[in-house]
């Protein structure tokens, strides 16, 4: 994808989520669509005792706020490109540090973070560039946890949203995710399908990588 296409894609996604931010917080949507993946990420962070954490494409800040409240790390950062989402997030918590930045250009020094997480957004990123950036900002031994939609089915609204800028969103297979992680330098420590009720039509995968010490 060219730089111009990526910029147009990011602008389209940002505009959509700025408009949709109020609806994003609806309880049923969060409970059945987003919370199962967030539960998996919180469990990984708790297991590893991460102290400086960034949630990339944080939306209205539900996960970043939960990380801060439940785990009490030293620092929690919530990053998003949507002004509407960040406005909602700022009302949710004054303890999380909210920042505007794309996944591919994080405002952190090398080795600054213990953990980087992102849920339900990886399909919108320039995936190799984002993972390279996650690797850069993580300390040796640091963790990245990514949940992404499974390609078992096509999510038509997602592709319709991205088709107009010539950059269809892409949900990698589990094998592709492993290759992307390893290509960025990570060791894949865990990968499995997100645990959901059997009747839920959503299917997604969590992949956890560690930056070698």
């Amino acid at each position: 994808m060219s730089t111009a296409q990526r910029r147009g894609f990011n602008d389209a996604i940002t505009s959509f989520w700025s408009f949709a931010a109020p609806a994003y917080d609806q309880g049923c949507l969060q409970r059945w669509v987003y919370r199962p993946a967030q539960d998996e990420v919180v469990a990984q962070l708790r297991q590893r005792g991460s102290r400086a954490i960034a949630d990339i494409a944080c939306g209205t800040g539900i996960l970043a706020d939960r990380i801060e409240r439940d785990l009490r790390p030293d620092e929690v950062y919530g990053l998003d490109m949507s002004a509407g989402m960040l406005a909602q997030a700022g009302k949710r918590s004054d303890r999380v540090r909210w920042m505007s930045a794309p996944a591919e250009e994080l405002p952190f020094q090398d080795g600054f973070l213990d953990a980087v997480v992102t849920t339900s957004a990886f399909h919108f990123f320039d995936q190799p560039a984002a993972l390279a950036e996650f690797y850069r900002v993580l300390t040796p031994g640091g963790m990245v946890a990514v949940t992404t939609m499974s390609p078992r089915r096509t999510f038509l609204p997602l592709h319709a949203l991205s088709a107009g800028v010539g950059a269809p969103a892409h949900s990698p297979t589990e094998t592709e995710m492993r290759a992307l992680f390893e290509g960025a330098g990570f060791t894949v420590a865990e990968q499995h399908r997100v645990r959901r009720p059997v009747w839920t039509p959503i299917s997604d995968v969590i992949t956890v990588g560690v930056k070698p010490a």
Side-chain angles (χ1 to χ4, degrees):
M1 183 191 310
S2 70
T3 300
Q5 283 180 314
R6 171 55 55 183
R7 186 177 300 112
F9 184 46
N10 285 343
D11 288 347
I13 299 302
T14 299
S15 297
F16 171 79
W17 284 116
S18 289
F19 172 78
Y24 182 83
D25 280 350
Q26 293 299 311
C28 60
L29 181 67
Q30 287 297 323
R31 181 179 181 185
W32 300 118
V33 176
Y34 295 111
R35 188 177 179 91
Q38 294 171 359
D39 288 346
E40 300 263 7
V41 167
V42 169
Q44 291 290 333
L45 291 170
R46 178 177 285 113
Q47 175 184 330
R48 296 174 186 278
S50 304
R51 304 308 305 167
I53 303 163
D55 178 18
I56 312 302
C58 66
T60 60
I62 291 175
L63 176 58
D65 178 50
R66 180 181 172 190
I67 290 169
E68 195 283 325
R69 288 185 292 104
D70 290 1
L71 304 182
R72 295 296 183 184
D74 298 331
E75 298 283 353
V76 181
Y77 299 87
L79 290 82
D80 205 282
M81 291 182 64
S82 165
M85 288 290 191
L86 290 174
Q88 295 284 107
K91 298 174 185 177
R92 188 179 305 281
S93 174
D94 60 2
R95 295 179 299 274
V96 176
R97 298 191 182 189
W98 308 109
M99 308 171 77
S100 177
E104 301 85 0
E105 297 178 28
L106 300 179
F108 303 111
Q109 296 179 348
D110 296 0
F112 183 76
L113 298 169
D114 296 318
V116 172
V117 302
T118 185
T119 60
S120 307
F122 190 69
H123 43 275
F124 289 130
F125 300 165
D126 179 332
Q127 293 162 4
L131 284 171
E133 190 70 345
F134 298 169
Y135 188 94
R136 179 186 69 79
V137 301
L138 282 171
T139 188
M143 179 197 82
V144 57
V146 177
T147 71
T148 188
M149 283 190 278
S150 165
R152 285 179 176 174
R153 65 193 73 219
T154 299
F155 184 51
L156 294 178
L158 172 65
H159 287 269
L161 183 65
S162 60
V165 294
H170 175 58
S171 297
T173 65
E174 293 170 68
T175 299
E176 288 173 334
M177 283 296 287
R178 282 184 170 271
L180 282 166
F181 270 53
E182 291 168 355
F186 290 106
T187 299
V188 176
E190 176 75 20
Q191 185 182 65
H192 60 262
R193 293 208 167 265
V194 172
R195 300 170 183 88
R196 294 179 177 274
V198 293
W199 52 264
T200 304
I202 298 168
S203 180
D204 46 355
V205 171
I206 180 169
T207 305
V208 179
V210 176
K211 181 175 180 176

